[in-house]
Amino acid sequence: MENSRELEIRQQIDAYVKGQLSEDEIQDLWNEFAKNPHLLEVLEIESGLKSILEEENKPKKASINVLPSWTWHAAAAAVILIVALVQLFKVDTPTELNQFLVANIEPAQIETADALRADGVNLTEADSLLNLGFEALISGDEDRALELFETVINNHEEEPYGSKAYLNKGIILYNEGDYQEASTAFQESADRAENNRMISEKAYWYLGNALINIGELEEAREAVFEAYKIDGVFRTPAFRLLQKLNYDLGKYDYDDFDTQQLN
């Protein structure tokens, strides 16, 4: 079933082929096509391009002139837009890819203790260190937070503490723009969180983002695909980012995406 956003895009396509969109609205529509290339098929159908081209290839008959004039304008508009989009995708700039990335990871993604003292559960030293690191981070003391998470890494590698601390370390480094070190921390978290679905998804998603920032697109695609397969909260943004990575890496077939192999 089509979601409300796709229905809205279809209405915009219909308005476009009828010449009812402003320049700004047309630009917004192009941005949607850049994010979702499959919508080009909708444009082709809505404009009647296929049927017109088929008719054009047949022997000319007098009756062809009875086609409504707006149909020919729609076909021309569709061709112009498709050509423009092809040119748009040929311009391979970091900005295009960066618009799909996480710019800054929110503190809410930091992993803390699984329970609170109020719940009647005794917190371990590692739990307390994770909580203190979170408090330091939201207070603006990133250096102190990193120090606390490093203490967990060095003294409490057992799970889930190791994967949590590495994830938290990666988040701070990512927000500081140290994507190389962040990717190392996220990879460590992902490796340790094999049996923890939530932490694993976060680790792979942010790992993919960090790797893109250092230009490792093939490795990023693998990491984002791992996050996508977990089918959690990052599935939708992971799918969109995979589409963009697939295009940039020359993998154009988005059909049956769930069944495609990375190689």
Side-chain angles (χ1 to χ4, degrees), residues 161-172:
Y161 305 118
S163 60
K164 286 185 175 184
Y166 272 113
L167 178 70
N168 295 349
K169 176 182 177 180
I171 289 173
I172 295 174

Side-chain angles (χ1 to χ4, degrees), residues 80-96:
I80 291 171
L81 180 55
I82 291 172
V83 170
L85 284 169
V86 169
Q87 295 302 317
L88 173 66
F89 278 115
K90 284 183 178 179
V91 180
D92 185 17
T93 65
T95 302
E96 286 186 36

Side-chain angles (χ1 to χ4, degrees), residues 101-102 105 170 173-174 177-187 203-216 220 223-224 241:
L101 300 184
V102 175
I105 304 174
L173 293 171
Y174 187 97
D178 190 349
Y179 302 117
Q180 184 69 61
E181 290 299 318
S183 65
T184 299
F186 289 138
Q187 185 66 69
Y204 278 120
W205 171 239
Y206 295 129
L207 172 60
N209 279 260
L211 288 170
I212 290 173
N213 275 292
I214 59 176
E216 301 288 344
V224 176
L241 182 53

Side-chain angles (χ1 to χ4, degrees), residues 54-213:
E54 289 172 357
E55 192 69 31
E56 179 74 358
N57 290 329
K58 292 179 180 180
K60 297 295 183 179
K61 297 180 181 180
S63 60
I64 196 169
N65 294 323
V66 303
L67 286 172
S69 60
W70 73 265
T71 309
W72 294 100
H73 291 299
V79 170
I80 291 171
L81 180 55
I82 291 172
V83 170
L85 284 169
V86 169
Q87 295 302 317
L88 173 66
F89 278 115
K90 284 183 178 179
V91 180
D92 185 17
T93 65
T95 302
E96 286 186 36
L97 185 55
N98 285 349
Q99 69 181 339
F100 295 90
L101 300 184
V102 175
N104 190 75
I105 304 174
E106 297 298 325
Q109 298 300 322
I110 290 289
E111 287 292 326
T112 57
D114 291 332
L116 301 174
R117 291 187 186 277
D119 295 328
V121 177
N122 293 324
L123 296 182
T124 66
E125 179 182 347
D127 286 324
S128 296
L129 289 169
L130 288 171
N131 288 346
L132 287 171
F134 174 71
E135 291 175 8
L137 180 61
I138 63 176
S139 298
D141 193 347
E142 289 85 0
D143 290 340
R144 175 59 176 162
L146 268 177
E147 180 183 335
L148 290 164
F149 296 141
E150 286 285 5
T151 301
V152 177
I153 290 169
N154 293 331
N155 301 308
H156 303 280
E157 286 194 334
E158 64 274 17
E159 283 305 304
Y161 305 118
S163 60
K164 286 185 175 184
Y166 272 113
L167 178 70
N168 295 349
K169 176 182 177 180
I171 289 173
I172 295 174
L173 293 171
Y174 187 97
N175 288 343
E176 291 180 346
D178 190 349
Y179 302 117
Q180 184 69 61
E181 290 299 318
S183 65
T184 299
F186 289 138
Q187 185 66 69
E188 285 283 354
S189 178
D191 291 343
R192 294 163 185 267
E194 184 177 355
N195 297 319
N196 189 315
R197 189 168 176 271
M198 183 175 67
I199 297 177
S200 181
E201 182 187 18
K202 285 185 184 180
Y204 278 120
W205 171 239
Y206 295 129
L207 172 60
N209 279 260
L211 288 170
I212 290 173
N213 275 292

